[in-house]
Amino acid sequence: MVNLQRRHITVLDTCEECKVQPKDELHALWSCSKLTEVWSSLTWTQQVTDAQVSSFQDLLDHFMQISNDYRKEIFIITAWSLWNRRNASRRGLPTQPLHKITQMAGSLPQEFLEAQESTTTIPEPPPVHNWCPPEAHIFKANFDVAVFKSKKLAGLGVVIKDWRGEAIGAVTMSVRLAQTVVELEAMACRRVVKFAREIGLSQAIFEGDSSTVIKAILEGPSDALPYGHVIEDICVQAMDFQLAAFTYVPRNCNVVADALAKKAKSCRGTQVWLEELPEDIAPLACFDVH
Ligand SMILES: [Zn+2]
């Protein structure tokens, strides 16, 4: 809430649970009075006093210094469960009662270890639902591709920026090489539209440097194109938006998406960043102006 208020997305920064204090990371995961029943049930966490920690980072540092590895895990999993619970509650989804959180935190490491033993495949990351952006603003979403011929792979890169040009999310993913680069561009466009939906945007301008793909979307689905089904997916998903516009931009205005696509060469599967860009790509954001 503190971050949202700082970005002028909400008016108040007050915690929705206790309705008393501003809700920053430390409050949301630790100091809110509503969470007392969770943390007090882990008596060994109670040695930390308010004077010792002024941020969640302080708290994390504190618990990472304790020698008992199991307690470190329980602290992390409990905080993680509280974070997920808060996100689910924001989206009106069913949530675990607070008194069950620590019990769950105790059983998850076991479940994780068992899952590690029984499978060697890397699971798909869960869809991203972290915050609700304002309805009134239009976001810019860029996409691009990179081809890694020798690996028979391609990279898709997408980035979404707010009305001030600050990145609010980015995705890098590697996919099997398609028949044509245009088809890959269409897939990258489909990914960015999906990502925009996942993070809850309702108004976005999608920008790519493939004029062929932009033209195909504007003309609507066509059976004549080998990648017509991808264009159709994009058009169908676009109908969920209050506003979804598709425009062509020159490559020098699409630098971040291009760098994210190239990054897929060194990443496996899909990687998602929220409210920030990967460190090596963030400096490029200032080139993406037009
Ligand atoms: Zn609170």
Side-chain angles (χ1 to χ4, degrees):
M1 293 303 282
V2 168
N3 286 340
L4 292 179
Q5 192 210 33
R6 183 169 45 81
R7 292 172 173 231
H8 307 288
I9 292 169
T10 54
V11 179
L12 296 174
D13 64 0
T14 322
C15 169
E16 320 90 312
E17 304 280 334
C18 65
K19 302 191 168 50
V20 181
Q21 286 180 302
K23 188 177 187 181
D24 58 11
E25 293 92 340
L26 185 65
H27 184 90
L29 299 176
W30 175 255
S31 47
C32 180
S33 59
K34 298 282 174 186
L35 302 181
T36 309
E37 67 170 300
V38 175
W39 292 114
S40 64
S41 69
L42 301 168
T43 47
W44 50 270
T45 64
Q46 298 302 294
Q47 34 172 307
V48 182
T49 61
D50 289 352
Q52 282 174 293
V53 291
S54 61
S55 66
F56 186 74
Q57 183 68 55
D58 287 352
L59 190 71
L60 186 63
D61 290 345
H62 176 90
F63 283 111
M64 289 305 100
Q65 277 163 26
I66 58 178
S67 53
N68 184 323
D69 280 347
Y70 182 69
R71 286 184 176 179
K72 283 181 195 168
E73 285 172 10
I74 294 295
F75 169 75
I76 297 271
I77 295 167
T78 305
W80 175 79
S81 306
L82 290 171
W83 180 253
N84 282 339
R85 185 179 183 279
R86 163 199 166 278
N87 290 337
S89 122
R90 272 184 82 97
R91 296 167 53 227
L93 297 174
T95 54
Q96 289 280 347
L98 280 172
H99 68 267
K100 285 210 173 152
I101 294 275
T102 44
Q103 187 192 329
M104 211 175 75
S107 60
L108 282 175
Q110 192 61 37
E111 205 178 291
F112 174 75
L113 289 176
E114 282 165 14
Q116 293 301 100
E117 283 159 17
S118 63
T119 172
T120 51
T121 56
I122 298 169
E124 275 279 296
V128 177
H129 296 289
N130 270 36
W131 64 290
C132 300
E135 296 291 303
H137 293 287
I138 297 174
F139 293 80
K140 274 205 177 161
N142 290 66
F143 61 92
D144 208 353
V145 302
V147 173
F148 318 121
K149 259 206 181 116
S150 60
K151 290 184 149 191
K152 295 202 172 66
L153 289 173
L156 310 185
V158 316
V159 57
I160 299 183
K161 286 168 285 179
D162 67 13
W163 58 99
R164 290 164 307 177
E166 280 187 36
I168 59 162
V171 179
T172 280
M173 70 187 287
S174 61
V175 295
R176 284 229 307 274
L177 207 53
Q179 291 280 303
T180 59
V181 176
V182 180
E183 180 169 356
L184 290 166
E185 289 274 4
M187 287 161 65
C189 183
R190 178 170 64 183
R191 190 66 188 84
V192 74
V193 175
K194 181 163 174 263
F195 185 49
R197 279 313 285 161
E198 283 169 351
I199 62 175
L201 305 189
S202 60
Q203 305 194 46
I205 299 172
F206 299 98
E207 300 181 334
D209 56 29
S210 164
S211 54
T212 313
V213 165
I214 299 295
K215 187 164 163 274
I217 296 167
L218 297 179
E219 285 172 356
S222 154
D223 291 337
L225 295 171
Y227 50 92
H229 62 289
V230 184
I231 301 293
E232 185 172 350
D233 284 351
I234 295 168
C235 296
V236 169
Q237 288 197 60
M239 289 193 294
D240 283 343
F241 289 79
Q242 276 174 22
L243 170 91
F246 295 85
T247 62
Y248 164 79
V249 287
R251 300 188 81 161
N252 61 351
C253 299
N254 210 24
V255 176
V256 172
D258 175 60
L260 285 159
K262 287 179 178 144
K263 197 176 175 64
K265 195 172 188 176
S266 57
C267 299
R268 238 182 116 176
T270 303
Q271 263 195 293
V272 178
W273 294 266
L274 283 173
E275 296 213 335
E276 59 176 7
L277 288 171
E279 256 175 38
D280 52 334
I281 289 177
L284 300 174
C286 58
F287 294 108
D288 260 359
V289 285
H290 55 286

